[in-house]
Amino acid sequence: MFEFFQNTLCVQSNWIIENGIISNANYKSDRKRGYAKPIRIGGNGRLALVEYESLRPEVKEKIKKLVGDPYEQAKHQKFIDRILFDQAAIDFYNIHRFGNGETLPEPAKKKYLLEASILKAIDTTIQISKFKITKRRKENQWEKISEIVNTLPSHIYPHNLPKNPRRLQEKYEKFMLDGYVSLIHSNFCNTNSEKLTEASKLWILARWMDQVNRCTSLSQMLIEYNHIADEKNWSKLEAEETLRNYLDRGDVKPLWWGKRYGDAVAKEKFGYSNKTVLPSMRDSLWYSDGTKLNLFYQYLDKDGKMKIGTTKVYEVIDTYSEVLLGYHVSDTEDFVAQYNAYKMAIKMSGHKPYEIKYDNQAGNKKLENVGFLSKIAHISVSTKPYNGKSKTIESIFGRFQMQFMNQDWISTGQNITTKTLKAKGNSEFVLLNKKELPTKDEVIQRYVAMREKWNTAPHPKTGIPRLEMYFNSVNPKTPEITLWEMVDLFWIERQKPVMYTASGLEFTEAKVKYSYTVY
């Protein structure tokens, strides 16, 4: 990325763009304004270089924060160029087996591969430099090599090679003598782990996952393990490290993580994530989901006592513009809430979406059963419930809560898993002033006002107000919806017949009684 060319410190132009230090548009603009002076044109295998000192001060500052002093980096660039991909090391660490048949976990393989590549680069440097074999020159040589190795960017080369020049030299000499195996730590998967049988491993796993009679530490488990070892005919363990090595194995950790820390945390850590390419025009993709309406309100219970409550909201969002299209506030995320939210969204849009994504929960299953969701869009896809990463709406609604809802003193704060203090509500203040809380109807009015502010605020990527961005877009795959299509979508036939009596037609739907008489 850095090198001295014609005695001038240069930086690769594609490197500063690809690493997000400067955008391609700003780079071109800087060139026109006299910044980012080109030193070498790219092409035919050459990389384009620009003079480092000609970059804007803020660009240079970003580079320093990312990789440190560029002048030092340039001095060491020749060494970095010698750190090469070592296929032989990969093959060795992939097939390596310990006495108990276990293999190296992936993080260890990556670390040892990197360290082997750096030690081979040291060997190449020594061969090229052709130092005289004198004690004094050898000491100076290893001081310089140690300085280079220790200043390698840690985010690119996360190695654990010794910092001391003498220790680094010993590591190198042992590597050149014994090869790749010399890098594997002597305590890694040591003979203690061989004391674990298949039965004892199952006991350790089950004990660590037990949430009724919790095991709070490895020292507690070690005592319990050794207490039953004679009875089970197991070898006693001397150190907690044996338990830790087993529980931290890459194939074991996913088995117990969710039991100890919750399924949501386990999905976040170990679950596979697909990338969603966001649409480039309106109505290409709508997301819908229900969530807690994070605003407190006051109400009177059946005994006339003042209580504090919250409710729920179901939202339908256009992912292209982030416009909140339709909503429904109710105490339950049911069929009625989803039906009304979609109805409002389509009335506002005037179009049917091309694709919709929704939570695969009870209310949506009812919408699927009556054919409602398949009528709304060409494609309807259910996402995993309680899995925020699978839904873009979670990110959008999270920002809506942070930027607008959390500004109101009646905010409950965001969900219980939030980590930042500014995302948490001040429940103590709310309880002290509960008489000043609005009613449920007033809370809904406040929420509607917040939605309008969000929809008219600038989109974070385009800077254009979201509603303007939405209505200025045209999607040829989503023609306007007609009156009779609205009737077909939102007039739901009652499955049970109604008997006409002397009182007319009477029936109850969703706890509401309806009465009709022919005049």
Side-chain angles (χ1 to χ4, degrees):
M1 49 191 169
F2 302 103
E3 64 179 89
F4 284 101
F5 185 75
Q6 297 175 352
N7 294 323
T8 302
L9 178 63
C10 300
V11 58
Q12 296 168 6
S13 57
N14 67 324
W15 180 82
I16 59 175
I17 294 170
E18 289 171 1
N19 283 273
I21 295 168
I22 187 172
S23 67
N24 192 37
N26 286 340
Y27 173 73
K28 290 179 180 178
S29 174
D30 282 0
R31 289 280 297 272
K32 291 178 182 178
R33 293 160 57 197
Y35 295 107
K37 179 182 174 183
I39 298 297
R40 185 176 73 189
I41 306 300
N44 294 325
R46 297 188 310 272
L47 294 170
L49 300 176
V50 297
E51 183 183 347
Y52 171 74
E53 291 297 342
S54 69
L55 297 171
R56 283 186 286 117
E58 54 266 36
V59 176
K60 290 193 283 187
E61 193 60 34
K62 285 183 180 179
I63 291 174
K64 288 179 182 177
K65 283 184 179 179
L66 183 63
V67 297
D69 185 358
Y71 285 93
E72 290 298 318
Q73 291 293 324
K75 288 180 185 177
H76 303 156
Q77 188 60 45
K78 286 184 179 179
F79 181 83
I80 290 172
D81 291 340
R82 293 173 188 148
I83 302 175
L84 303 174
F85 182 83
D86 191 348
Q87 184 61 50
I90 292 176
D91 294 340
F92 178 85
Y93 294 124
N94 275 338
I95 65 174
H96 184 78
R97 293 289 186 278
F98 295 97
N100 59 359
E102 293 182 6
T103 61
L104 282 165
E106 287 304 317
K109 289 180 187 177
K110 290 178 182 177
K111 182 173 81 75
Y112 295 146
L113 169 62
L114 174 61
E115 290 176 354
S117 300
I118 293 172
L119 290 169
K120 281 199 168 184
I122 291 174
D123 184 57
T124 303
T125 301
I126 291 172
Q127 300 305 322
I128 292 172
S129 57
K130 296 180 181 178
F131 281 99
K132 291 180 181 179
I133 310 301
T134 65
K135 187 176 181 182
R136 180 65 184 161
R137 292 296 296 272
K138 206 168 187 179
E139 287 175 357
N140 290 339
Q141 171 191 8
W142 279 101
E143 284 175 5
K144 290 178 181 178
I145 290 173
S146 178
E147 179 190 353
I148 293 172
V149 171
N150 290 326
T151 53
L152 291 171
S154 59
H155 66 289
I156 301 174
Y157 304 99
H159 65 83
N160 287 330
L161 291 172
K163 295 185 182 295
N164 181 275
R166 180 61 186 157
R167 301 287 83 76
L168 180 61
Q169 181 183 355
E170 291 173 356
K171 190 84 170 178
Y172 162 77
E173 290 171 352
K174 186 171 177 56
F175 175 75
M176 298 308 295
L177 182 66
D178 297 335
Y180 298 120
V181 73
S182 66
L183 296 177
I184 300 175
H185 199 281
S186 57
N187 289 335
F188 192 92
C189 288
N190 61 11
T191 53
N192 281 340
S193 64
E194 295 175 17
K195 293 181 179 181
L196 297 180
T197 66
E198 290 304 314
S200 65
K201 288 177 183 177
L202 287 175
W203 181 90
I204 292 168
L205 189 59
R207 184 70 190 92
W208 197 239
M209 291 194 300
D210 189 346
Q211 294 304 291
V212 178
N213 180 23
R214 283 176 62 85
C215 184
T216 56
S217 67
L218 290 176
S219 57
Q220 176 192 341
M221 185 187 284
L222 182 65
I223 294 169
E224 292 183 18
Y225 183 96
N226 286 334
H227 183 70
I228 65 167
D230 290 335
E231 177 189 336
K232 300 285 187 180
N233 200 25
W234 298 336
S235 299
K236 288 189 176 182
L237 305 180
E238 297 176 2
E240 301 169 16
E241 197 65 28
T242 305
L243 299 170
R244 183 178 289 106
N245 284 343
Y246 173 66
L247 290 170
D248 285 348
R249 268 176 33 182
D251 59 330
V252 175
K253 188 179 284 189
L255 300 177
W256 59 260
W257 197 271
K259 294 293 183 183
R260 286 189 72 87
Y261 305 121
D263 287 339
V265 177
K267 285 177 185 175
E268 187 79 17
K269 186 172 180 67
F270 300 107
Y272 179 77
S273 298
N274 287 312
K275 243 179 202 177
T276 300
V277 178
L278 295 179
S280 58
M281 59 187 72
R282 60 172 276 183
D283 303 326
S284 299
L285 173 63
W286 288 2
Y287 265 105
S288 69
D289 197 11
T291 186
K292 178 183 172 185
L293 181 56
N294 299 103
L295 300 171
F296 285 117
Y297 66 87
Q298 61 161 296
Y299 68 97
L300 298 177
D301 64 10
K302 59 183 180 180
D303 297 323
K305 292 181 180 180
M306 182 184 292
K307 297 288 185 180
I308 296 177
T310 59
T311 187
K312 295 182 179 180
V313 64
Y314 195 87
E315 279 284 0
V316 180
I317 297 178
D318 173 65
T319 53
Y320 160 70
S321 61
E322 297 188 347
V323 166
L324 305 174
L325 291 170
Y327 77 97
H328 185 79
V329 176
S330 61
D331 292 334
T332 55
E333 182 187 332
D334 58 7
F335 166 78
V336 175
Q338 295 149 357
Y339 174 84
N340 284 303
Y342 274 111
K343 185 176 182 180
M344 180 186 289
I346 289 182
K347 285 177 71 176
M348 179 177 176
S349 170
H351 296 256
K352 289 197 295 185
Y354 188 83
E355 180 181 358
I356 58 173
K357 288 191 176 181
Y358 53 90
D359 235 351
N360 191 23
Q361 294 185 5
N364 280 320
K365 286 178 180 177
K366 185 172 181 181
L367 292 177
E368 284 181 311
N369 292 339
V370 297
F372 178 76
L373 294 174
S374 60
K375 286 181 182 178
I376 285 182
H378 292 280
I379 305 169
S380 56
V381 180
S382 63
T383 58
K384 281 185 179 180
Y386 314 113
N387 184 20
K389 288 177 71 175
S390 71
K391 294 171 284 188
T392 307
I393 190 171
E394 295 280 2
S395 167
I396 295 172
F397 207 78
R399 285 185 283 118
F400 172 52
Q401 288 174 320
M402 181 67 73
Q403 296 170 22
F404 294 96
M405 296 180 71
N406 285 3
Q407 293 177 6
D408 201 316
W409 72 274
I410 66 171
S411 169
T412 68
Q414 289 170 248
N415 61 45
I416 59 173
T417 60
T418 188
K419 295 179 181 177
T420 58
L421 283 174
K422 62 183 179 180
K424 297 180 183 291
N426 189 344
S427 55
E428 290 181 12
F429 182 77
V430 171
L431 288 171
L432 287 171
N433 297 275
K434 62 182 181 180
K435 290 183 180 179
E436 306 300 323
L437 285 172
T439 64
K440 186 175 181 179
D441 289 340
E442 289 169 340
V443 158
I444 294 173
Q445 290 174 14
R446 287 197 193 191
Y447 179 70
V448 171
M450 292 172 188
R451 291 179 83 258
E452 290 175 359
K453 285 182 181 179
W454 168 269
N455 283 344
T456 54
H459 190 282
K461 290 188 177 178
T462 65
I464 302 170
R466 292 182 175 88
L467 271 177
E468 183 181 332
M469 189 175 161
Y470 180 76
F471 284 114
N472 285 345
S473 176
V474 177
N475 190 336
K477 294 288 183 74
T478 58
E480 288 187 39
I481 192 166
T482 65
L483 172 64
W484 295 112
E485 283 179 311
M486 287 290 288
V487 169
D488 182 49
L489 281 174
F490 296 104
W491 282 20
I492 298 176
E493 291 185 6
R494 182 178 167 82
Q495 294 179 347
K496 293 181 180 179
V498 179
M499 180 69 71
Y500 187 86
T501 66
S503 302
L505 288 170
E506 290 185 345
F507 64 93
T508 301
E509 185 69 28
K511 299 182 181 178
V512 178
K513 187 175 182 179
Y514 296 90
S515 180
Y516 297 95
T517 303
V518 177
Y519 290 100

